[in-house]
Amino acid sequence: MKTPERTETPEKTTPVGTRERIVRATSRLLQRQGYEGTGIKQISREAEATLGSVYHFFPGGKQELAAEAIRHGDEEFAVLLRAGLGSSADIGEAVVTCTGMLARELRASDWQDGCPISSTALETVGRAPAIEQAVAAAFANWRAIVTEHLVAAGIGAEDARELAGTVVSTLEGAELAAQIARSEEPLLVTGKHLARLLATYR
Amino acid sequence: MKTPERTETPEKTTPVGTRERIVRATSRLLQRQGYEGTGIKQISREAEATLGSVYHFFPGGKQELAAEAIRHGDEEFAVLLRAGLGSSADIGEAVVTCTGMLARELRASDWQDGCPISSTALETVGRAPAIEQAVAAAFANWRAIVTEHLVAAGIGAEDARELAGTVVSTLEGAELAAQIARSEEPLLVTGKHLARLLATYR
DNA sequence: CCTCCGCTAGAACGAACGCTCTATCCAGAA
DNA sequence: TTCTGGATAGAGCGTTCGTTCTAGCGGAGG
């Protein structure tokens, strides 16, 4: 059988295939420990898969696996972003909602689960092309989502493009600060300031 | 002799002591490769010191060495921050100057040398107390510097405190975005937006 | 029935890891 | 001169790293 699950009814608690389990485990471990701090054997253990399975699905080794995990984290964060930004007609309020959601999730994980890709992104700058490309695509994806909502809120196209970049990178920075301070405050305050900045446009 | 250099005339090109060379090399390597990605032997090689010397000066091992390197990076970034923020009476212009300086240095290092501590900070969250503490102290130091300049620019104490946190974390996020995009734009645009935000206070 | 093959399983490889340990060097005190 | 102790030097410890490789499993097609 090619892929025993997922082809039929995606309802109920779908039994997760081995490949999917490996990607999810890798994503969470990279988020918490970074690229160099995460071993393939730890991943296979955590995913309840064997080393053979890991290299079967990802013959490109650790780098290919990490790139796939980055794409997983990309979509994960995009879902949160869309949910938060779609929560209110007022774009300022919507951004505040986003920071609130991030803060809540961060606290719930005991300040462990920050941005799913920033740690890996930072330590592979200029030395792991496949990963760098996945990271750049994730940022571009997030910027596009934010841009869309800003334009919908009546902000001009060029202003929206620039602001979207700032919003995304500011969320990254605030999440880092919140992790370090073990406090929701940096995220919440940043949300307030972003809303204030957006209010000066239109 | 206790410390052969630095006790006398700090003029001319001071011959750098072994301990100092080790700290500098560690700081640069941590900045570029993160904590787990940097080996003690690589540090000793890069610092032109031997393994024996490293453990002589840092009996606490890798963690103690990293904490010291974080403190080095702390002061390094603080110097840039003070220079940038002191460059203009207009606090908005001063922030723009900061982002410009960061952008120039980042480009000059071929997008390698971002924030000297963020990579290490992210991968040691909740698992290396000595490092976490040094990181938290660095952020507090930077916030204090920014707060001071904001207050001097006529912004109320509480607003200044909150804004300082946002300014610092936003610079972090923008630097990350600039490294990933291999472009000065995220930093420069963020500078513009920060100035605009600050202009809404007084 | 047997064959095929996607997938699972884990032993084994050389290299690198952080760290310990002993030995040596050498400027200044006695 | 001998002694002393900070500093240098690097071999070697046990462990873990990423990766390779061969062997076995079990359902589908002939």
Side-chain angles (χ1 to χ4, degrees):
Chain A
M1 55 182 81
K2 285 279 179 66
T3 47
E5 308 84 4
R6 192 182 25 178
T7 51
E8 296 297 326
T9 55
E11 54 212 358
K12 288 187 175 180
T13 52
T14 317
V16 183
T18 302
R19 200 196 123 100
E20 179 79 9
R21 281 202 320 277
I22 292 171
V23 172
R24 290 189 192 183
T26 305
S27 181
R28 216 187 78 251
L29 288 171
L30 286 186
Q31 176 179 42
R32 298 190 174 200
Q33 325 182 114
Y35 184 71
E36 299 289 352
T38 301
I40 299 269
K41 286 172 185 174
Q42 185 187 13
I43 289 170
S44 76
R45 208 180 313 127
E46 209 93 355
E48 297 186 277
T50 66
L51 210 45
S53 298
V54 173
Y55 278 94
H56 171 74
F57 288 110
F58 303 95
K62 195 180 184 183
Q63 197 169 138
E64 180 186 348
L65 179 48
E68 187 64 28
I70 295 291
R71 282 186 280 274
H72 177 86
D74 171 2
E75 193 46 42
E76 195 174 274
F77 194 75
V79 166
L80 182 142
L81 217 47
R82 276 189 283 257
L85 293 181
S87 70
S88 168
D90 181 313
I91 187 67
E93 266 183 40
V95 168
V96 168
T97 300
C98 277
T99 57
M101 292 168 69
L102 289 172
R104 186 157 41 83
E105 290 195 3
L106 192 55
R107 170 181 286 276
S109 72
D110 195 30
W111 320 105
Q112 291 271 316
D113 298 342
C115 170
I117 77 171
S118 57
S119 179
T120 301
L122 270 171
E123 53 184 331
T124 57
V125 163
R127 58 220 331 253
I131 297 175
E132 283 195 275
Q133 201 222 350
V135 167
F139 263 73
N141 184 28
W142 302 340
R143 273 202 315 272
I145 291 170
V146 175
T147 301
E148 192 183 323
H149 281 85
L150 292 177
V151 168
I155 294 178
E158 179 57 15
D159 283 341
R161 193 191 65 81
E162 287 191 353
L163 282 167
T166 294
V167 168
V168 170
S169 70
T170 296
L171 290 180
E172 293 290 330
E175 190 130 50
L176 167 60
Q179 280 190 272
I180 287 166
R182 297 177 70 87
S183 160
E184 297 185 359
E185 204 214 2
L187 272 166
L188 302 183
V189 169
T190 291
K192 187 176 76 173
H193 288 154
L194 277 179
R196 186 171 178 128
L197 171 64
L198 294 179
T200 70
Y201 288 83
R202 256 238 32 77
Chain B
M1 58 182 80
K2 283 282 180 64
T3 46
E5 308 84 6
R6 190 182 25 178
T7 50
E8 294 298 326
T9 57
E11 54 211 0
K12 289 187 174 180
T13 52
T14 317
V16 183
T18 303
R19 198 195 124 102
E20 178 78 8
R21 280 202 321 277
I22 293 170
V23 172
R24 289 189 194 184
T26 305
S27 181
R28 215 187 78 252
L29 288 171
L30 287 187
Q31 177 180 41
R32 297 189 174 200
Q33 326 183 108
Y35 183 71
E36 300 289 353
T38 302
I40 298 270
K41 285 173 184 170
Q42 185 187 12
I43 289 170
S44 75
R45 206 181 314 127
E46 209 93 356
E48 297 185 277
T50 66
L51 209 45
S53 298
V54 173
Y55 280 95
H56 170 74
F57 288 110
F58 303 95
K62 195 180 184 184
Q63 198 169 136
E64 179 187 349
L65 179 49
E68 186 66 26
I70 295 291
R71 283 186 280 273
H72 177 85
D74 171 2
E75 192 47 41
E76 196 174 273
F77 193 74
V79 165
L80 182 143
L81 217 45
R82 276 189 283 257
L85 292 181
S87 71
S88 168
D90 181 313
I91 187 67
E93 267 182 40
V95 167
V96 168
T97 300
C98 278
T99 57
M101 292 168 70
L102 289 172
R104 188 160 37 84
E105 290 195 4
L106 192 54
R107 170 181 287 276
S109 72
D110 194 30
W111 320 104
Q112 292 270 316
D113 298 341
C115 169
I117 77 170
S118 57
S119 180
T120 301
L122 270 171
E123 54 183 332
T124 57
V125 163
R127 58 218 339 248
I131 297 175
E132 283 195 275
Q133 202 222 350
V135 168
F139 263 73
N141 184 28
W142 302 340
R143 274 202 316 271
I145 291 170
V146 176
T147 300
E148 192 184 321
H149 281 85
L150 292 177
V151 168
I155 294 179
E158 178 58 14
D159 283 342
R161 193 191 65 80
E162 287 191 353
L163 282 167
T166 294
V167 168
V168 170
S169 70
T170 296
L171 290 180
E172 293 289 331
E175 191 129 50
L176 167 60
Q179 281 190 271
I180 287 167
R182 298 178 69 89
S183 161
E184 298 185 0
E185 204 214 2
L187 273 166
L188 302 183
V189 168
T190 290
K192 187 176 76 174
H193 288 153
L194 276 179
R196 186 172 179 128
L197 171 64
L198 293 179
T200 69
Y201 288 83
R202 254 239 24 83

